[in-house]
Amino acid sequence: MTVSANDLAPAHLLVAEDDRAVRDSLVRALELEGYRVTATSNGAECLDAVSRDGPAALLLDVSMPLVDGLTVCRVVRAEGNRLPILMLTARTETSDRVAGLDVGADDYLAKPYDLDELLARLRALLRRAEYAEEDEVKPLSVGDLRLDSASRRVFRGEREIHLSKTEFDLLELLVENKGIVLDHTTIYERIWNYDFGPDSKNLAVYIGYLRRKTEADGGQRVVQTVRGVGYTVRIPA
């Protein structure tokens, strides 16, 4: 029996999938694993259920009528809801995967997926959410750069820096490991759950975004490149 963080009741999952056969099959499989499941067939119903039921996690199809999955994810995150979201889609291009993660999904699984892999990824998301609730959120900082993980706000001195979901996650990872050089593969797998390979420029693009925003108004560089290895954050002596 899979239970929620308080160990008193089965974790409540929300499934948003417009294909009835896929939806029914997934609901049955999840219920057999001990989860309590609510199913919706379009994005509008999904958003209502998120607000009404407060599920422990959302399994979200990208291509749905009325409101698509990317928009659902964007709306949920805009409301400050950190509900774990596993995005399910038949789209397998890298750009589609990046788009899903950029709007706030926590993980991404392409169809047709292996049920055991889906269940393992779901367990990982639920564990992460439990740890986040149990652990006291500690302020993160390097020099005059401060991150508030609970509110997902970033400040450089008194100036607030507005970051996208992916930008914040990347900066948070680097600051949590300040002084430690993280290689490209580690960062890709921690932020995007996928290593795009040595030829990808995606990480370099986001590092550029962070530098422009954190160095505005003459701020000293904190995101440092270690050539041939990866990136770290530190204030140069």
Side-chain angles (χ1 to χ4, degrees):
M1 175 71 73
T2 302
V3 296
S4 58
N6 60 15
D7 289 334
L8 296 177
H12 180 198
L13 306 180
L14 176 60
V15 171
E17 166 64 64
D18 68 321
D19 185 308
R20 182 174 180 178
V22 173
R23 184 175 65 248
D24 290 348
S25 176
L26 182 54
V27 169
R28 282 195 301 272
L30 293 171
E31 289 178 339
L32 285 172
E33 289 295 310
Y35 295 104
R36 184 163 57 93
V37 186
T38 296
T40 60
S41 60
N42 63 65
E45 290 179 354
C46 175
L47 287 171
D48 287 342
V50 168
S51 298
R52 181 185 67 241
D53 300 332
L58 168 60
L59 286 77
L60 177 64
D61 183 40
V62 171
S63 301
M64 290 190 298
L66 300 183
V67 181
D68 64 58
L70 293 177
T71 302
V72 167
C73 193
R74 191 178 294 112
V75 169
V76 169
R77 294 300 185 235
E79 293 175 346
N81 191 333
R82 301 190 70 179
L83 165 72
I85 298 176
L86 174 57
M87 194 161 275
L88 308 173
T89 179
R91 302 174 185 175
T92 57
E93 294 297 322
T94 296
S95 58
D96 296 317
R97 186 179 295 111
V98 170
L101 295 171
D102 273 353
V103 296
D106 296 284
D107 202 353
Y108 192 107
L109 193 57
K111 298 177 181 178
Y113 46 78
D114 179 84
L115 181 59
D116 286 339
E117 181 180 5
L118 181 147
L119 293 172
R121 288 178 182 242
L122 178 59
R123 288 192 296 269
L125 287 180
L126 291 171
R127 281 196 303 271
R128 243 179 278 162
E130 289 178 12
Y131 297 151
E133 290 176 0
E134 292 170 0
D135 294 341
E136 180 181 353
V137 177
K138 298 179 180 178
L140 299 172
S141 65
V142 54
D144 64 348
L145 179 70
R146 295 177 291 110
L147 285 78
D148 185 333
S149 296
S151 63
R152 296 180 69 81
R153 299 175 70 186
V154 179
F155 297 87
R156 189 80 195 259
E158 298 302 316
R159 178 176 66 89
E160 183 167 5
I161 302 170
H162 299 284
L163 302 180
S164 70
K165 191 264 183 190
T166 300
E167 290 167 355
F168 183 91
D169 289 346
L170 176 55
L171 184 59
E172 182 181 44
L173 174 65
L174 291 170
V175 175
E176 284 176 339
N177 294 276
K178 61 184 175 182
I180 299 172
V181 180
L182 300 180
D183 61 39
H184 296 77
T185 296
T186 297
I187 297 173
Y188 273 128
E189 291 181 347
R190 291 284 298 276
I191 301 302
W192 286 276
N193 295 295
Y194 183 81
D195 185 357
F196 295 108
D199 297 327
S200 174
K201 303 299 182 184
N202 199 52
L203 177 55
V205 168
Y206 276 94
I207 291 293
Y209 293 159
L210 286 180
R211 284 177 173 160
R212 282 196 293 274
K213 292 183 178 182
T214 58
E215 296 170 21
D217 300 331
Q220 189 176 21
R221 174 160 294 182
V222 294
V223 180
Q224 311 291 341
T225 300
V226 179
R227 295 194 181 280
V229 184
Y231 299 97
T232 186
V233 294
R234 62 171 178 261
I235 300 292

